[in-house]
């Protein structure tokens, strides 16, 4: 009886944005080319291939982010709030951090002057890229372990149970990609983004960073009055900012749900004997066949660090810092720990088990002198395809980032 093949995880079912764009009417266009004279046919075919070139998910997302960025810059230029205003008495808001002037004749905070805003926008436009890279890495997870002979010792019953587990995960991805669910997520993210903007519209900007002796309400109102996304003076830019925020939060929501689904799958598949499996016999890619896992871990850690940085800048620079914001930061950290640290722990113990079994096999089949050298080489390589030093550096930065935005304004106020 032929053994059943393992299915693949399909996180691309979460939405059309994660699937490559298939060319439409390509064959019809090629048949039309046959009617052209011979000297024109080759040029026409080349043109059609260029026009119908399929776009990968990452390329589509990068093009959308680029279009958003260019549109935002164009609107800022049209409204005269791209760079520092010329020929006015207005001063850059951050100039007051380095001076003793308390009289405000006007505060300027254009797009290129808004350092916090530029960081937030960078996180906004890179968020869909993070999500897309994780989708690709999760889709390669099962095939990666199969190439590394992770399913070699599985029984037909275990493979059947694994396929059921994979089908269950894919069903969640399919539900997440339904038009009604996607529309619901989009509406919820739009409401959340608009609420955050309304909070800024009501309370002004940079209240925590007030370097003057003026009351905080006066300072934050003046900064908001000169802000590039002021709803009252620049409504088009305000709408563009809320649209970009909705776009980013939509992908972030799907990314987090996808992370939860994959974590549950990884926990249950590891219990069935199909966890992270390095290829100890043949190092095909410099990481014992785990290069896709390395890419997934690096993109995931980078995503967590970028989102935490953007969140803290949003809540401690743009918005007035408050004690209740600590709970928001802690909530984000708990979610990140569940979808990042916990899966990494499962993968570590799974790969460690494979290494231990391989060491036992070396001890049984090799002479003593060769065995010691081979075992030393096995343990010289990291268990996971990201070294412990880099992982600890990332965790340290992740834990220190929350303190930086809170300490800098206090430092400036003491200068």
């Amino acid at each position: 009886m032929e053994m059943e093949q393992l299915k693949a995880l399909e996180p691309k079912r979460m939405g059309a944005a994660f699937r490559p764009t298939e060319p439409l009417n390509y064959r019809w266009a090629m048949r039309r080319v046959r009617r052209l004279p011979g000297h024109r046919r080759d040029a026409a075919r080349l043109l059609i291939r260029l026009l119908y070139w399929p776009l990968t998910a990452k390329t589509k997302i990068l093009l959308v982010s680029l279009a958003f960025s260019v549109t935002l810059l164009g609107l800022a230029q049209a409204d005269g709030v791209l760079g520092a205003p010329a020929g006015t008495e207005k001063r850059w808001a951050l100039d007051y951090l380095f001076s003793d002037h308390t009289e405000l004749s006007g505060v300027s905070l254009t797009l290129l002057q808004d350092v916090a805003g530029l960081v937030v926008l960078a996180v906004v436009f890179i968020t869909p890229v993070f999500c897309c890279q994780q989708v690709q890495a999760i889709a390669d997870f099962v095939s990666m372990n199969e190439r590394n002979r992770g399913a070699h010792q599985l029984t037909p019953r275990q493979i059947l149970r694994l396929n059921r587990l994979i089908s269950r995960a894919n069903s969640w991805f399919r539900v997440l990609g339904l038009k009604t669910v996607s529309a619901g997520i989009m509406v919820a993210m739009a409401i959340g983004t608009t609420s955050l903007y309304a909070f800024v519209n009501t309370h002004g900007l940079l209240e925590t960073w007030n370097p003057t002796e003026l009351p905080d309400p006066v300072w934050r109102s003046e900064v908001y009055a000169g802000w590039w996304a002021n709803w009252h003076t620049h409504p088009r830019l305000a709408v563009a900012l809320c649209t970009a925020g909705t776009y980013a939060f939509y992908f972030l929501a799907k990314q987090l749900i996808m992370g939860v689904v994959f974590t549950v799958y990884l926990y249950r598949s590891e219990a069935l004997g199909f966890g992270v499996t390095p290829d100890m016999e043949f190092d095909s890619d410099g990481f014992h066949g785990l290069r896709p896992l390395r890419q997934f871990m690096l993109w995931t850690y980078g995503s967590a660090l970028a989102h935490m940085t953007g969140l803290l800048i949003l809540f401690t620079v743009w918005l007035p810092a408050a004690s209740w914001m600590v709970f928001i930061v802690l909530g984000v950290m708990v979610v990140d720990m569940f979808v990042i640290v916990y899966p990494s722990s499962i993968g570590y113990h799974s790969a460690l088990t494979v290494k231990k079994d391989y060491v036992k096999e070396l001890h049984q089949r090799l002479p003593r002198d060769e065995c010691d050298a081979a075992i030393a080489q096995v343990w010289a390589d990291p268990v996971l395809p990201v070294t412990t030093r880099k992982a600890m550096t990332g965790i340290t930065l992740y834990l220190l980032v929350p303190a930086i935005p809170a300490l800098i304004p206090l430092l400036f106020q003491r200068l």
Side-chain angles (χ1 to χ4, degrees):
M1 179 178 179
E2 185 178 354
M3 184 177 293
E4 185 177 358
Q5 297 296 317
L6 280 175
K7 299 179 181 179
L9 288 169
E10 298 178 349
K12 296 178 182 179
R13 294 186 178 186
M14 290 197 310
F18 304 108
R19 296 189 291 269
T21 301
E22 297 295 335
L24 299 175
N25 298 326
Y26 177 79
R27 294 182 179 178
W28 176 85
M30 281 298 187
R31 284 197 299 267
R32 292 286 180 177
V33 169
R34 296 174 185 173
R35 301 179 181 180
L36 296 176
H39 63 281
R40 296 181 181 179
R41 195 174 303 162
D42 293 339
R45 285 175 177 170
L46 177 60
L47 180 61
I48 291 174
R49 289 191 182 99
L50 292 175
L51 293 176
Y52 285 91
W53 189 270
L55 297 177
T56 64
K58 185 178 178 181
T59 301
K60 289 191 298 181
I61 288 174
L62 286 174
L63 289 175
V64 172
S65 295
L66 179 62
F68 262 124
S69 303
V70 172
T71 302
L72 194 63
L73 292 174
L75 290 175
Q77 178 65 28
D79 284 10
V81 291
L82 180 61
T88 65
E89 298 295 331
K90 290 186 177 182
R91 297 180 58 190
W92 183 25
L94 296 184
D95 283 344
Y96 289 91
L97 296 175
F98 306 98
S99 67
D100 297 328
H101 294 283
T102 58
E103 296 182 1
L104 299 178
S105 59
V107 180
S108 169
L109 196 62
T110 60
L111 178 58
L112 297 183
Q113 291 178 333
D114 189 3
V115 180
L118 292 175
V119 174
V120 171
L121 288 174
V123 174
V124 163
F125 293 132
I126 200 65
T127 292
V129 179
F130 284 131
C131 184
C132 182
Q133 291 294 135
Q134 288 181 303
V135 166
Q136 182 61 49
I138 291 176
D140 293 340
F141 183 79
V142 174
S143 60
M144 175 192 72
N145 286 324
E146 279 191 301
R147 288 194 302 269
N148 297 340
R149 297 188 290 275
H152 182 66
Q153 297 180 351
L154 295 179
T155 64
R157 180 177 176 80
Q158 287 176 314
I159 291 180
L160 180 61
R161 294 176 64 184
L162 274 171
N163 280 335
R164 290 175 180 173
L165 184 59
I166 294 172
S167 298
R168 193 176 302 126
N170 288 337
S171 66
W172 280 105
F173 294 141
R174 184 172 56 254
V175 170
L176 194 56
L178 293 175
K179 293 182 179 180
T180 53
V181 175
S182 298
I185 294 175
M186 183 68 74
V187 170
M189 296 303 104
I191 294 174
T193 303
T194 306
S195 300
L196 279 176
Y197 183 86
F199 191 88
V200 174
N201 186 56
T202 302
H203 296 281
L205 287 169
L206 305 183
E207 176 181 332
T208 310
W209 295 63
N210 182 10
T212 70
E213 297 177 358
L214 298 175
D216 287 341
V218 175
W219 163 257
R220 71 192 187 194
S221 298
E222 289 291 334
V223 175
Y224 180 73
W227 188 39
W228 59 274
N230 187 323
W231 169 256
H232 304 285
T233 56
H234 308 292
R236 293 187 302 177
L237 284 167
V239 172
L241 179 61
C242 291
T243 302
T246 302
Y247 170 74
F249 281 125
Y250 170 81
F251 280 95
L252 179 59
K254 287 206 169 185
Q255 180 182 357
L256 292 176
I257 298 173
M258 176 185 66
V260 172
V261 174
F262 179 66
T263 300
V264 173
Y265 160 78
L266 185 61
Y267 170 76
R268 293 178 176 175
S269 66
E270 197 275 336
L272 292 175
F274 189 75
V276 175
T277 308
D279 188 347
M280 305 307 302
E281 294 287 348
F282 177 60
D283 189 0
S284 59
D285 56 9
F287 299 98
H288 294 283
L290 297 182
R291 184 173 287 274
L293 178 63
R294 172 183 170 81
Q295 297 299 320
F296 174 74
M297 294 177 68
L298 292 178
W299 280 103
T300 302
Y301 293 160
S303 173
L305 186 60
H307 292 147
M308 179 60 74
T309 303
L311 178 72
L312 290 170
I313 288 177
L314 175 64
F315 281 101
T316 62
V317 180
W318 270 4
L319 303 179
S323 56
W324 57 268
M325 294 179 182
V326 175
F327 296 100
I328 294 179
V329 174
L330 290 177
V332 173
M333 282 189 167
V334 169
V335 173
D336 285 341
M337 291 295 176
F338 179 75
V339 298
I340 297 175
V341 177
Y342 182 57
S344 298
S345 175
I346 296 175
Y348 177 85
H349 288 93
S350 177
L352 183 61
T353 300
V354 174
K355 275 201 168 189
K356 288 181 178 179
D357 293 340
Y358 182 69
V359 167
K360 292 178 181 178
E361 181 182 346
L362 290 178
H363 188 268
Q364 294 174 356
R365 74 183 188 187
L366 293 180
R368 181 60 180 269
D369 295 339
E370 297 181 14
C371 179
D372 292 341
I375 291 176
Q377 181 60 41
V378 169
W379 294 118
D381 297 328
V383 176
L384 291 179
V386 176
T387 61
T388 304
R389 181 183 300 176
K390 290 183 179 179
M392 292 304 298
T393 301
I395 293 174
T396 302
L397 289 174
Y398 186 75
L399 295 176
L400 287 179
V401 161
I404 295 175
L407 293 177
I408 290 180
L410 297 177
L411 177 63
F412 279 125
Q413 290 176 358
R414 293 179 179 273
L415 291 178

